[in-house]
Each structure stands twice: as C-alpha cells, then as structure tokens.
Amino acid sequence: MPQLIASVQGVEVKHVQLSKPRTTLGRKPGNDIVLDNMVVSGEHCVFELEGLADVWLRDLGSTNGTYINDHMAKARVQLHDGDIIAIGPFRIRYVQENERPESQFGGTTQFSASDFAVLQQAAFQVMSGTSAGLTVPVVKAVTTFGRPGVCVVSVSHRRNGYFVSHLAGETVPMLNGKAVADEPMPLADKDVLDLAGTKMLFMLEEMPQ
C-alpha cells in the first residue's frame, strides 16, 4: 500500500498509509493529514488513489505552493516511488509500497533506529573542512545533509538499500564525480558524496542477521 513519510530537518514526524481514494493535507483539523504550520494552507493539497497503487497529487490553490522534487506542482501530478514533496519546512517522501508490514493492531508503523541496525549500519565520514574526520550515523528513514539554500540532499533507507537525491539548493551535489539527480540514486560502501565542496565518505557495514 502506498505511504507518505513526513519529516522536518531529518526527523520523522508523520507516517501515513494512503488507503482511501482521497486523502487531504492541510493546516485545518478536518484534513486527513494535519501539518500545524502557518506556511501550510488550511486545505493545501490532496492525494488521490487510483486502482491499487497509483497516486496523484493535486495542489488545492495553496498560498505557498507544493513542490515535488524541487519543482512546483502546477497541475495534477502522478507520484513515483521515492519522490520528495516539499511543503514549507516539511519533506514528505512517497513510497510506492509498504517498507514494513502493517501492525496487527492496525494503523501505521513507525520506523526506529533499531529496526535498521539489524541488517545494515550506515554512516557518513566527513573528509574535508573543519569537521574532517567526523562520523555521522544514518539511522532515520529519511535524513537530510547539506547547507540550506546552497546544496541539500536527502538520504533515504529502504528495504533494498540506501538512496540519495538532490533535495534543494542551486549547487548540484556529486556522487563519485557524477551529478546527483532529483531521482534517488543508490549508495554503495565507499561512495564519495560532494556537497558544495564538502566531501563525505559513505560507509556501509553488513550486520549479522
């Protein structure tokens, strides 16, 4: 079942499964997904489910707009696995299928650091600048790195590995010397990510199952 994972500055705040034909998002309490922030319109946008897993996003004339992979959604847009929706400070990742099965008690399932650590342990090691040598673990479902307004990437963890995509900023990030696109790109052990001159080594350690 398609789902949305919302975060603010890399911290997950909501995890919603799209099970209804129409799921509304906005600041007003009557919405299916309520984001209590003044940059979010009272009725901001709607997610429309067609068939079993086709989801379309439509902006409802919001004041500040709805962005998909850094592009404003000016018309009804079909979502694809890994798309990043930006609404004010919120970053919402669209996942085509469940990353974990539903709880037997119903509702949505939250991710935790311990869930991910069972199979893989990932981290970035800063290679340049004043923070050279610093190791930053990657333990959240979605984590952002970079400098706002300059270069920001989103690193997501899925069942089949880690992926990086360009989230915001005028400077295009580089992965092993190649430009990182808006579409998620897989990360492998010892990959080098360059964020506007700051180089980071991706380290991935397989853990015993």
Side-chain angles (χ1 to χ4, degrees), residues 173-196:
M174 307 293 287
L175 180 64
N176 301 325
K178 295 182 180 180
V180 175
D182 294 339
E183 293 294 325
M185 299 172 62
L187 284 167
D189 186 41
K190 306 306 181 186
D191 277 352
V192 176
L193 186 63
D194 189 334
L195 304 180

Side-chain angles (χ1 to χ4, degrees), residues 3-4 53-57 68-69 77-85 92-97 158 182-184:
Q3 57 188 298
L4 302 171
D54 291 332
V55 176
W56 298 73
L57 182 149
I68 303 175
N69 300 327
V77 181
Q78 184 173 9
L79 297 177
H80 301 282
D81 188 41
D83 279 350
I84 300 295
I85 303 157
I92 305 171
R93 181 164 62 97
Y94 172 71
V95 182
Q96 188 73 36
E97 299 178 356
R158 308 178 188 177
D182 294 339
E183 293 294 325

Side-chain angles (χ1 to χ4, degrees), residues 92-106:
I92 305 171
R93 181 164 62 97
Y94 172 71
V95 182
Q96 188 73 36
E97 299 178 356
N98 280 352
E99 293 197 344
R100 290 186 57 195
E102 284 190 51
S103 166
Q104 60 178 323
F105 302 108

Side-chain angles (χ1 to χ4, degrees), residues 42-57:
E43 296 176 350
H44 199 100
C45 64
V46 61
F47 298 89
E48 297 169 335
L49 176 65
E50 296 183 358
L52 295 176
D54 291 332
V55 176
W56 298 73
L57 182 149

Side-chain angles (χ1 to χ4, degrees), residues 94-204:
Y94 172 71
V95 182
Q96 188 73 36
E97 299 178 356
N98 280 352
E99 293 197 344
R100 290 186 57 195
E102 284 190 51
S103 166
Q104 60 178 323
F105 302 108
T108 57
T109 304
Q110 298 286 342
F111 290 123
S112 68
S114 60
D115 294 327
F116 291 146
V118 172
L119 298 178
Q120 293 178 321
Q121 182 175 329
F124 279 101
Q125 185 178 73
V126 181
M127 302 172 64
S128 60
T130 57
S131 299
L134 177 66
T135 299
V136 182
V138 181
V139 296
K140 300 185 182 71
V142 182
T143 308
T144 57
F145 294 94
R147 288 180 290 170
V150 179
C151 182
V152 179
V153 297
S154 170
V155 176
S156 58
H157 187 191
R158 308 178 188 177
R159 286 181 299 177
N160 56 338
Y162 289 83
F163 294 80
V164 61
S165 58
H166 185 194
L167 185 62
E170 296 182 357
T171 304
V172 178
M174 307 293 287
L175 180 64
N176 301 325
K178 295 182 180 180
V180 175
D182 294 339
E183 293 294 325
M185 299 172 62
L187 284 167
D189 186 41
K190 306 306 181 186
D191 277 352
V192 176
L193 186 63
D194 189 334
L195 304 180
T198 299
K199 293 186 177 182
M200 302 170 63
L201 177 69
F202 181 70
M203 301 181 295
L204 185 61

